[in-house]
Amino acid sequence: MTSGGPKTDSRWLALIVLCAGMLMIVLDQTIVNVALPAIEEDLKFGQAGLAWVVNAYLIAYGGLLLLAGRLGDLIGHKKVFLIGLGVFTVASLLCGVSFSSEMLIIARFVQGAGGALATSVTLGMVVTMFPKPDEQRRAIGIFSFVAAAGASIGLLLGGVLTDTMSWHWIFFVNLPIGIVAAIAAVRLVPSSEGLGLREGADVLGALLIVAAVMLGVYTIVKAEHYGFGSVQTLGLGAVALALLVGFVVRQRTAAKPLLPLRVFRSRNVTGANLVQISMVAGMFGLFFLGTLYMQLVLAYSPLEIGLAFMPVAGAIAVFSVSLSARLNSRFGERNMLIVGLLFMLAGMIVFTQVPVDGSYLPDILPAVAPLGIGLGLSFPALMTLAMSGASHDEAGLASGLVNTTAQVGGALGLAVLATTSTAYTSSLVASGVGRLEALTSGFHLAFWISAGLVAVALGLAVFVLRQVTVSRDESQPVLVH
């Protein structure tokens, strides 16, 4: 139960605080990519070691999201959010002052743990703060803008900070945001008591799920190096799967399970998370390889790449913040998700046609504009559907699950697309094709795979999800065919 609930106006201020914390963490996931060359040169990273600046964060972040979300239900969402914000901010300081590659990698791991704690409960707090459907749709639209547009803004901000100052500032910029967000959260974000650890103190289950997800993410990110059919990938993947099966068995038999399996009885919760895995896999891989296309083929600078993706952030802002609540209310979340996925699919198909001598207005803008519209329509609808079957006591768990599937989907899509694109490019170069032509063809193949993944998400949305309607008292969601 919420104690001392804030006034209506205060809830919107609390939402801004939550979104500020979320934006800081989302920005960090892309802002670092732009600065990797400068970090490599300054700290004398080897080629293999540099990847761990990203991988250390991803493994900690992805591995702890589900556990962190459940901890929010047990000990209080606000408490977990503040702990995560504090850990992330302190770790950002350590990242910024790192004087060796080892120190930076360790600090990035800690930063990922803090990010998991803070973001895992954010969507759950948004849903519980705004129980009325119309308000909830508006709040989720704002939250979705931050979650979806943050990546594009991170590319631009990373380019500006790296070009004008130094790579250290991509981490130092988190300090004032984290401190102000924490102080404001203490005052504005409503507290919740939580169920108590005795309701889910399944230590063995916690160890199994953290080990399974961390090892799974590690296997995926290393598959690009070893190959998906290698002994290392298949062996580690089998161990991760065995740990996951062990976790499921444990949850069925534990007196106080960490993850009550009844949450998966909701067709929308299960279906929405499956949609998200496939959708994010296609989207994340396309953004990463689209960035490489602009950098390696078109010779864009980091700042130019950030500016190239700004229409995505603009379109997401217009549709998710301004229009999504009204559209979802009138036409339904499931229908708007389908429309959004169609826009995304259209943008990805345009991306498959970008030429070696491409230019922005005729080639790239027609691709990124539909992507922005699609993301602006899809994310608010998808978040609502993913949370529609979750009770108040399981809001943190459902929120953590949504974030976990997003991370797993992103890591999987990036590994598959990067591996496929690199292998095809190498084969073309070996057969005598010019470097730029081979790179472009490799990117084309990856973009087609991205489109295929979004098409799978579209099929799941059409055949698995049900529309959420609202009962007459406008407080209880009802699932309908």
Side-chain angles (χ1 to χ4, degrees):
M1 297 292 292
T2 302
S3 60
K7 297 179 181 179
T8 302
D9 289 342
S10 297
R11 288 183 303 148
W12 294 102
L13 291 175
L15 176 64
I16 293 172
V17 172
L18 293 176
C19 287
M22 182 75 178
L23 179 62
M24 176 180 69
I25 295 165
V26 171
L27 285 175
D28 192 81
Q29 296 183 38
T30 54
I31 199 173
V32 173
N33 292 332
V34 179
L36 285 177
I39 294 173
E40 179 181 21
E41 181 179 355
D42 191 23
L43 297 184
K44 311 303 180 191
F45 269 96
Q47 185 66 30
L50 186 64
W52 281 101
V53 177
V54 176
N55 293 345
Y57 182 94
L58 284 177
I59 291 169
Y61 186 79
L64 292 172
L65 277 168
L66 194 59
L67 174 61
R70 186 54 175 163
L71 281 176
D73 293 331
L74 299 177
I75 68 174
H77 298 155
K78 179 178 178 179
K79 187 179 297 183
V80 170
F81 176 76
L82 288 172
I83 292 171
L85 210 58
V87 171
F88 186 89
T89 304
V90 172
S92 296
L93 174 62
L94 294 176
C95 287
V97 299
S98 291
F99 51 81
S100 69
S101 57
E102 293 81 7
M103 180 178 177
L104 180 58
I105 290 171
I106 293 171
R108 285 284 287 167
F109 187 89
V110 177
Q111 197 183 32
L117 288 167
T119 59
S120 64
V121 295
T122 304
L123 182 58
M125 286 193 286
V126 171
V127 170
T128 54
M129 280 197 306
F130 298 94
K132 293 184 178 180
D134 287 344
E135 289 185 335
Q136 189 176 106
R137 286 184 174 113
R138 288 174 57 201
I140 288 180
I142 295 170
F143 171 86
S144 299
F145 163 68
V146 171
S152 299
I153 298 170
L155 290 172
L156 177 61
L157 186 59
V160 171
L161 291 175
T162 305
D163 286 349
T164 61
M165 301 178 75
S166 73
W167 67 266
H168 302 275
W169 284 94
I170 67 172
F171 299 112
F172 290 150
V173 74
N174 293 331
L175 302 183
I177 301 174
I179 292 170
V180 171
I183 294 172
V186 170
R187 295 176 58 86
L188 295 172
V189 176
S191 300
S192 58
E193 296 178 2
L195 300 172
L197 286 175
R198 63 186 180 278
E199 293 298 323
D202 179 16
V203 177
L204 177 58
L207 292 174
L208 285 170
I209 190 60
V210 170
V213 180
M214 280 192 174
L215 184 59
V217 174
Y218 173 82
T219 303
I220 291 169
V221 298
K222 295 300 288 182
E224 182 181 352
H225 176 71
Y226 291 116
F228 281 91
S230 67
V231 174
Q232 291 91 338
T233 300
L234 294 176
L236 291 174
V239 174
L241 183 60
L243 289 169
L244 184 60
V245 171
F247 171 74
V248 173
V249 172
R250 171 66 182 175
Q251 299 314 287
R252 294 188 65 179
T253 58
K256 300 291 185 181
L258 179 72
L259 171 57
L261 298 180
R262 63 179 176 271
V263 71
F264 294 106
R265 294 175 186 169
S266 168
R267 184 167 175 168
N268 273 12
V269 169
T270 302
N273 279 282
L274 290 175
V275 168
Q276 177 157 256
I277 289 176
S278 189
M279 183 184 84
V280 172
M283 179 195 71
F284 194 84
L286 181 137
F287 276 127
F288 180 78
L289 293 173
T291 299
L292 289 181
Y293 163 75
M294 295 181 207
Q295 178 185 5
L296 300 178
V297 178
L298 303 184
Y300 278 20
S301 69
L303 181 57
E304 288 173 327
I305 293 171
L307 290 171
F309 278 116
M310 282 311 293
V312 175
I316 293 172
V318 170
F319 283 89
S320 64
V321 177
S322 303
L323 299 176
S324 66
R326 284 177 286 174
L327 292 172
N328 288 336
S329 179
R330 181 171 180 179
F331 299 107
E333 282 81 4
R334 174 180 173 273
N335 294 331
M336 295 316 303
L337 172 60
I338 291 171
V339 172
L341 289 170
L342 287 171
F343 269 101
M344 290 178 63
L345 186 59
M348 289 177 172
I349 290 174
V350 174
F351 248 122
T352 65
Q353 306 302 310
V354 290
V356 175
D357 57 348
S359 55
Y360 186 72
L361 288 178
D363 300 308
I364 297 175
L365 183 59
V368 297
L371 285 176
I373 296 171
L375 287 167
L377 293 174
S378 297
F379 263 105
L382 188 60
M383 295 304 99
T384 301
L385 291 164
M387 298 296 291
S388 63
S391 66
H392 175 84
D393 292 339
E394 294 173 352
L397 174 61
S399 175
L401 183 61
V402 169
N403 284 285
T404 300
T405 54
Q407 288 302 306
V408 171
L412 182 61
L414 179 57
V416 171
L417 270 65
T419 301
T420 305
S421 176
T422 301
Y424 187 55
T425 298
S426 299
S427 68
L428 291 176
V429 170
S431 66
V433 177
R435 176 178 172 272
L436 293 182
E437 289 79 4
L439 279 170
T440 304
S441 296
F443 291 140
H444 284 171
L445 176 60
F447 296 154
W448 276 116
I449 297 173
S450 292
L453 289 167
V454 171
V456 170
L458 179 61
L460 289 168
V462 171
F463 295 109
V464 175
L465 296 179
R466 295 174 176 176
Q467 178 54 42
V468 178
T469 59
V470 180
S471 61
R472 291 181 182 178
D473 65 1
E474 292 193 344
S475 63
Q476 299 297 323
V478 179
L479 297 181
V480 297
H481 291 283

